[in-house]
Amino acid sequence: MDNLVFHNLYVQTEYNFLSSTISIKNLKKELYRYVGSSIAIVDEAMHGAYKFYKACIEANCKPIIGLKAKIYNDNIDNFIILYAKDNDGYKNLMRISSEIQINKKNVNLEYLKENSKGIIACVPFFENELKYYYDNHNMSYFEEVIKNYKNCFNELYLGLTLQVSNYNIREIMNLSMNYDILPVALHKVNMVKPEHLESYKILRCISKGLQNYDCSELEENSYFESSEELLD
């Protein structure tokens, strides 16, 4: 266990507008807990990428630049996380982000495939259509979606977390590996500390025009934990 290092692959910042309480300034303080490991910014736009990169370098962390993209689906929240593997990947993330921001629309897999060079993709199971098909025991659609993703990306992973209860994570991991997709730990972070939950709820109320916002279990648990806590 002493040799294991946790790489946080799912941090969202203030640049994910009204969806995170984490400023780059506060994030920089937190980065010193991850010295020697990697940490990824995964906002739904690329506005904070440069400041994040500088903060990581100063804290002796390896920065990973990512983007959370919503894939077109009529009825289901359907996200995928994309990471830049190299300069080509970074350019493609910028292109995908611009397409989403300028045209105010979700992207489809055909567009992502056209711009997939240098990109590593990770399907966040609990924020993707795969969860819907898994919950409804519709394994034929589950398999079809997996095949579509594999056809789109040369490097594809399934992101799983213990932030959501009442799921057999081991079963989902085995299912993923049956389709030759490796599972990875994907701990979502929208807050530095759990006591920031009320501030997060206020942001979501403003974003959605609500007086009250009911957080999902995933959102309630989306705060930083140390490598030791997560690997315990």
Side-chain angles (χ1 to χ4, degrees):
M1 185 67 73
D2 292 340
N3 295 324
L4 292 177
V5 177
F6 173 71
H7 301 282
N8 201 317
L9 300 177
Y10 195 173
V11 176
Q12 297 192 304
T13 74
E14 60 190 328
Y15 290 96
N16 205 57
F17 299 117
L18 301 177
S19 297
S20 174
T21 64
I22 302 174
S23 67
I24 297 294
K25 181 179 179 180
N26 289 335
L27 176 61
K28 186 176 178 180
K29 299 175 184 177
E30 195 68 23
L31 290 175
Y32 288 99
R33 301 171 67 186
Y34 293 88
V35 170
S37 66
S38 304
I39 190 165
I41 184 174
V42 186
D43 290 335
E44 293 180 35
M46 300 289 287
H47 307 303
Y50 178 67
K51 287 185 177 180
F52 170 80
Y53 176 85
K54 287 184 62 179
C56 285
I57 296 302
E58 291 174 13
N60 196 26
C61 290
K62 181 181 178 181
I64 299 174
I65 306 302
L67 175 71
K68 182 179 179 181
K70 190 169 187 178
I71 303 174
Y72 180 79
N73 191 305
D74 283 335
N75 303 309
I76 308 168
D77 280 344
N78 194 32
F79 293 95
I80 195 160
I81 294 174
L82 310 171
Y83 301 103
K85 184 179 179 180
D86 49 31
N87 286 336
D88 286 332
Y90 180 77
K91 291 175 183 177
N92 277 326
L93 287 190
M94 294 293 287
R95 185 175 292 112
I96 294 167
S97 177
S98 296
E99 172 71 14
I100 294 170
Q101 300 300 313
I102 293 172
N103 295 314
K104 304 296 181 184
K105 65 179 184 180
N106 305 330
V107 291
N108 56 41
L109 286 180
E110 182 179 351
Y111 179 81
L112 292 179
K113 183 176 182 178
E114 292 171 357
N115 297 280
S116 63
K117 185 178 180 181
I119 284 178
I120 298 172
C122 180
V123 178
F125 178 80
F126 292 103
E127 299 176 88
N128 184 271
E129 60 188 318
L130 288 178
K131 175 183 177 295
Y132 175 83
Y133 297 130
Y134 177 83
D135 288 345
N136 288 279
H137 309 288
N138 193 336
M139 302 314 293
S140 60
Y141 276 97
F142 187 98
E143 182 174 356
E144 181 180 344
V145 169
I146 288 286
K147 288 180 178 178
N148 289 338
Y149 287 150
K150 290 181 69 175
N151 183 55
C152 184
F153 301 103
N154 290 328
E155 295 186 62
L156 178 67
Y157 297 86
L158 182 68
L160 296 171
T161 179
L162 298 178
Q163 293 165 287
V164 179
S165 60
N166 299 321
Y167 276 84
N168 187 334
I169 297 298
R170 176 63 63 181
E171 179 181 273
I172 301 171
M173 288 175 61
N174 291 337
L175 185 61
S176 174
M177 289 186 286
N178 286 341
Y179 293 108
D180 295 321
I181 299 177
L182 290 178
V184 297
L186 199 65
H187 184 86
K188 184 175 184 178
V189 178
N190 294 102
M191 304 171 282
V192 172
K193 300 177 181 179
E195 51 263 38
H196 295 165
L197 181 60
E198 288 305 314
S199 297
Y200 173 79
K201 287 182 178 180
I202 292 171
L203 291 179
R204 300 307 293 147
C205 282
I206 296 171
S207 175
K208 294 183 173 292
L210 301 172
Q211 291 187 341
N212 295 291
Y213 180 77
D214 293 325
C215 288
S216 67
E217 184 181 16
L218 179 60
E219 290 174 302
E220 289 178 350
N221 293 314
S222 63
Y223 51 84
F224 269 113
E225 294 192 61
S226 67
S227 298
E228 292 75 17
E229 291 167 329
L230 289 166
L231 293 172
D232 186 11

